[in-house]
mmCIF file of all heavy atoms in Angstrom:
data_model
loop_
_atom_site.group_PDB
_atom_site.id
_atom_site.type_symbol
_atom_site.label_atom_id
_atom_site.label_comp_id
_atom_site.label_asym_id
_atom_site.label_seq_id
_atom_site.Cartn_x
_atom_site.Cartn_y
_atom_site.Cartn_z
ATOM 1 N N LEU M 4 177.050 86.469 -101.145
ATOM 2 C CA LEU M 4 176.014 85.978 -102.072
ATOM 3 C C LEU M 4 175.492 84.633 -101.599
ATOM 4 O O LEU M 4 176.155 83.816 -100.907
ATOM 5 C CB LEU M 4 176.564 85.846 -103.512
ATOM 6 C CG LEU M 4 176.987 87.109 -104.188
ATOM 7 C CD1 LEU M 4 177.806 86.824 -105.410
ATOM 8 C CD2 LEU M 4 175.705 87.884 -104.624
ATOM 9 N N TYR M 5 174.233 84.317 -102.048
ATOM 10 C CA TYR M 5 173.578 83.057 -101.584
ATOM 11 C C TYR M 5 173.697 82.101 -102.771
ATOM 12 O O TYR M 5 173.397 82.412 -103.923
ATOM 13 C CB TYR M 5 172.103 83.312 -101.298
ATOM 14 C CG TYR M 5 171.857 84.041 -100.044
ATOM 15 C CD1 TYR M 5 172.035 85.457 -100.011
ATOM 16 C CD2 TYR M 5 171.469 83.454 -98.911
ATOM 17 C CE1 TYR M 5 171.755 86.166 -98.880
ATOM 18 C CE2 TYR M 5 171.229 84.131 -97.738
ATOM 19 C CZ TYR M 5 171.363 85.494 -97.728
ATOM 20 O OH TYR M 5 171.149 86.203 -96.588
ATOM 21 N N ILE M 6 173.952 80.859 -102.453
ATOM 22 C CA ILE M 6 173.789 79.757 -103.340
ATOM 23 C C ILE M 6 172.936 78.686 -102.637
ATOM 24 O O ILE M 6 173.320 78.049 -101.761
ATOM 25 C CB ILE M 6 175.158 79.020 -103.803
ATOM 26 C CG1 ILE M 6 176.105 80.121 -104.459
ATOM 27 C CG2 ILE M 6 174.846 77.833 -104.739
ATOM 28 C CD1 ILE M 6 175.554 80.677 -105.774
ATOM 29 N N VAL M 7 171.638 78.640 -103.134
ATOM 30 C CA VAL M 7 170.679 77.801 -102.406
ATOM 31 C C VAL M 7 170.293 76.639 -103.363
ATOM 32 O O VAL M 7 169.761 76.902 -104.484
ATOM 33 C CB VAL M 7 169.430 78.501 -101.987
ATOM 34 C CG1 VAL M 7 168.499 77.659 -101.285
ATOM 35 C CG2 VAL M 7 169.760 79.755 -101.226
ATOM 36 N N GLY M 8 170.476 75.406 -102.950
ATOM 37 C CA GLY M 8 170.213 74.278 -103.748
ATOM 38 C C GLY M 8 168.818 73.797 -103.417
ATOM 39 O O GLY M 8 168.481 73.508 -102.246
ATOM 40 N N ASN M 9 167.905 73.681 -104.394
ATOM 41 C CA ASN M 9 166.611 73.203 -104.281
ATOM 42 C C ASN M 9 166.589 71.785 -104.838
ATOM 43 O O ASN M 9 166.609 71.620 -106.119
ATOM 44 C CB ASN M 9 165.592 74.063 -104.926
ATOM 45 C CG ASN M 9 164.124 73.478 -104.954
ATOM 46 O OD1 ASN M 9 163.919 72.482 -104.260
ATOM 47 N ND2 ASN M 9 163.301 74.068 -105.788
ATOM 48 N N TRP M 10 166.700 70.810 -104.060
ATOM 49 C CA TRP M 10 166.860 69.465 -104.578
ATOM 50 C C TRP M 10 165.567 68.781 -105.123
ATOM 51 O O TRP M 10 165.586 67.730 -105.649
ATOM 52 C CB TRP M 10 167.509 68.488 -103.508
ATOM 53 C CG TRP M 10 168.965 68.662 -103.424
ATOM 54 C CD1 TRP M 10 169.809 69.492 -104.031
ATOM 55 C CD2 TRP M 10 169.859 67.971 -102.503
ATOM 56 N NE1 TRP M 10 171.094 69.363 -103.748
ATOM 57 C CE2 TRP M 10 171.194 68.451 -102.702
ATOM 58 C CE3 TRP M 10 169.626 67.008 -101.559
ATOM 59 C CZ2 TRP M 10 172.265 67.888 -102.032
ATOM 60 C CZ3 TRP M 10 170.729 66.499 -100.776
ATOM 61 C CH2 TRP M 10 171.998 66.952 -101.055
ATOM 62 N N LYS M 11 164.485 69.455 -104.846
ATOM 63 C CA LYS M 11 163.167 68.947 -105.313
ATOM 64 C C LYS M 11 163.053 67.412 -104.913
ATOM 65 O O LYS M 11 163.503 67.085 -103.787
ATOM 66 C CB LYS M 11 162.939 69.123 -106.884
ATOM 67 C CG LYS M 11 163.217 70.583 -107.184
ATOM 68 C CD LYS M 11 162.834 70.896 -108.584
ATOM 69 C CE LYS M 11 163.229 72.401 -108.820
ATOM 70 N NZ LYS M 11 162.800 72.890 -110.129
ATOM 71 N N MET M 12 162.419 66.564 -105.724
ATOM 72 C CA MET M 12 162.209 65.215 -105.250
ATOM 73 C C MET M 12 163.371 64.310 -105.833
ATOM 74 O O MET M 12 163.188 63.406 -106.628
ATOM 75 C CB MET M 12 160.908 64.673 -105.785
ATOM 76 C CG MET M 12 160.177 63.750 -104.811
ATOM 77 S SD MET M 12 158.422 63.632 -105.109
ATOM 78 C CE MET M 12 158.309 62.766 -106.579
ATOM 79 N N ASN M 13 164.584 64.593 -105.351
ATOM 80 C CA ASN M 13 165.793 63.893 -105.883
ATOM 81 C C ASN M 13 166.710 63.477 -104.707
ATOM 82 O O ASN M 13 166.619 64.069 -103.588
ATOM 83 C CB ASN M 13 166.541 64.847 -106.887
ATOM 84 C CG ASN M 13 165.777 65.091 -108.086
ATOM 85 O OD1 ASN M 13 165.529 64.190 -108.819
ATOM 86 N ND2 ASN M 13 165.433 66.387 -108.227
ATOM 87 N N HIS M 14 167.661 62.682 -104.995
ATOM 88 C CA HIS M 14 168.662 62.153 -104.007
ATOM 89 C C HIS M 14 168.081 61.091 -103.130
ATOM 90 O O HIS M 14 166.883 61.007 -102.887
ATOM 91 C CB HIS M 14 169.294 63.246 -103.205
ATOM 92 C CG HIS M 14 170.546 63.831 -103.942
ATOM 93 N ND1 HIS M 14 171.544 63.071 -104.489
ATOM 94 C CD2 HIS M 14 170.895 65.178 -104.187
ATOM 95 C CE1 HIS M 14 172.411 63.866 -104.971
ATOM 96 N NE2 HIS M 14 171.989 65.187 -104.816
ATOM 97 N N ASN M 15 168.969 60.135 -102.654
ATOM 98 C CA ASN M 15 168.603 59.164 -101.673
ATOM 99 C C ASN M 15 169.766 59.174 -100.617
ATOM 100 O O ASN M 15 170.685 60.029 -100.779
ATOM 101 C CB ASN M 15 168.395 57.815 -102.268
ATOM 102 C CG ASN M 15 169.664 57.336 -103.104
ATOM 103 O OD1 ASN M 15 170.802 57.657 -102.697
ATOM 104 N ND2 ASN M 15 169.512 56.608 -104.227
ATOM 105 N N ILE M 16 169.612 58.366 -99.619
ATOM 106 C CA ILE M 16 170.581 58.472 -98.546
ATOM 107 C C ILE M 16 172.044 58.318 -98.988
ATOM 108 O O ILE M 16 172.980 58.966 -98.625
ATOM 109 C CB ILE M 16 170.288 57.352 -97.411
ATOM 110 C CG1 ILE M 16 168.952 57.712 -96.766
ATOM 111 C CG2 ILE M 16 171.386 57.267 -96.356
ATOM 112 C CD1 ILE M 16 168.877 58.957 -95.897
ATOM 113 N N SER M 17 172.223 57.338 -99.862
ATOM 114 C CA SER M 17 173.567 57.075 -100.323
ATOM 115 C C SER M 17 174.156 58.225 -101.221
ATOM 116 O O SER M 17 175.228 58.676 -100.959
ATOM 117 C CB SER M 17 173.538 55.724 -101.060
ATOM 118 O OG SER M 17 174.432 55.737 -102.195
ATOM 119 N N SER M 18 173.294 58.767 -102.143
ATOM 120 C CA SER M 18 173.761 59.857 -103.001
ATOM 121 C C SER M 18 174.012 61.136 -102.251
ATOM 122 O O SER M 18 174.876 61.897 -102.493
ATOM 123 C CB SER M 18 172.907 60.046 -104.239
ATOM 124 O OG SER M 18 171.616 60.449 -103.880
ATOM 125 N N LEU M 19 173.115 61.442 -101.241
ATOM 126 C CA LEU M 19 173.297 62.610 -100.512
ATOM 127 C C LEU M 19 174.524 62.587 -99.534
ATOM 128 O O LEU M 19 175.090 63.537 -99.244
ATOM 129 C CB LEU M 19 172.059 63.106 -99.785
ATOM 130 C CG LEU M 19 171.541 62.466 -98.465
ATOM 131 C CD1 LEU M 19 172.192 62.948 -97.319
ATOM 132 C CD2 LEU M 19 170.008 62.739 -98.378
ATOM 133 N N THR M 20 174.778 61.360 -99.060
ATOM 134 C CA THR M 20 175.970 61.150 -98.219
ATOM 135 C C THR M 20 177.235 61.436 -99.099
ATOM 136 O O THR M 20 178.112 62.109 -98.669
ATOM 137 C CB THR M 20 176.020 59.731 -97.602
ATOM 138 O OG1 THR M 20 174.785 59.539 -96.902
ATOM 139 C CG2 THR M 20 177.190 59.533 -96.688
ATOM 140 N N ASN M 21 177.256 60.901 -100.321
ATOM 141 C CA ASN M 21 178.361 61.271 -101.214
ATOM 142 C C ASN M 21 178.477 62.653 -101.472
ATOM 143 O O ASN M 21 179.649 63.204 -101.480
ATOM 144 C CB ASN M 21 178.187 60.457 -102.547
ATOM 145 C CG ASN M 21 178.378 59.046 -102.406
ATOM 146 O OD1 ASN M 21 178.986 58.517 -101.373
ATOM 147 N ND2 ASN M 21 177.824 58.185 -103.387
ATOM 148 N N PHE M 22 177.363 63.324 -101.747
ATOM 149 C CA PHE M 22 177.343 64.770 -101.987
ATOM 150 C C PHE M 22 178.057 65.467 -100.811
ATOM 151 O O PHE M 22 178.909 66.291 -100.962
ATOM 152 C CB PHE M 22 175.912 65.270 -102.133
ATOM 153 C CG PHE M 22 175.761 66.774 -102.367
ATOM 154 C CD1 PHE M 22 175.566 67.333 -103.646
ATOM 155 C CD2 PHE M 22 175.842 67.674 -101.321
ATOM 156 C CE1 PHE M 22 175.449 68.617 -103.891
ATOM 157 C CE2 PHE M 22 175.650 69.050 -101.563
ATOM 158 C CZ PHE M 22 175.483 69.533 -102.849
ATOM 159 N N HIS M 23 177.535 65.070 -99.536
ATOM 160 C CA HIS M 23 178.038 65.760 -98.414
ATOM 161 C C HIS M 23 179.569 65.511 -98.231
ATOM 162 O O HIS M 23 180.272 66.458 -97.869
ATOM 163 C CB HIS M 23 177.259 65.453 -97.121
ATOM 164 C CG HIS M 23 177.606 66.312 -96.057
ATOM 165 N ND1 HIS M 23 178.544 66.113 -95.080
ATOM 166 C CD2 HIS M 23 177.091 67.581 -95.735
ATOM 167 C CE1 HIS M 23 178.637 67.108 -94.226
ATOM 168 N NE2 HIS M 23 177.730 68.013 -94.611
ATOM 169 N N ASN M 24 179.986 64.293 -98.498
ATOM 170 C CA ASN M 24 181.421 63.979 -98.362
ATOM 171 C C ASN M 24 182.257 64.913 -99.249
ATOM 172 O O ASN M 24 183.355 65.382 -98.869
ATOM 173 C CB ASN M 24 181.770 62.542 -98.770
ATOM 174 C CG ASN M 24 181.153 61.596 -97.622
ATOM 175 O OD1 ASN M 24 180.922 62.031 -96.517
ATOM 176 N ND2 ASN M 24 181.021 60.313 -98.058
ATOM 177 N N THR M 25 181.819 65.108 -100.544
ATOM 178 C CA THR M 25 182.510 65.964 -101.405
ATOM 179 C C THR M 25 182.584 67.392 -100.892
ATOM 180 O O THR M 25 183.635 68.004 -100.936
ATOM 181 C CB THR M 25 181.852 65.969 -102.818
ATOM 182 O OG1 THR M 25 181.736 64.598 -103.226
ATOM 183 C CG2 THR M 25 182.687 66.668 -103.867
#
Side-chain angles (χ1 to χ4, degrees):
L4 292 166
Y5 290 77
I6 301 295
V7 183
N9 171 13
W10 280 0
K11 309 192 182 184
M12 215 160 70
N13 294 295
H14 272 310
N15 54 36
I16 294 290
S17 145
S18 64
L19 75 81
T20 305
N21 288 339
F22 179 100
H23 194 269
N24 288 343
T25 308

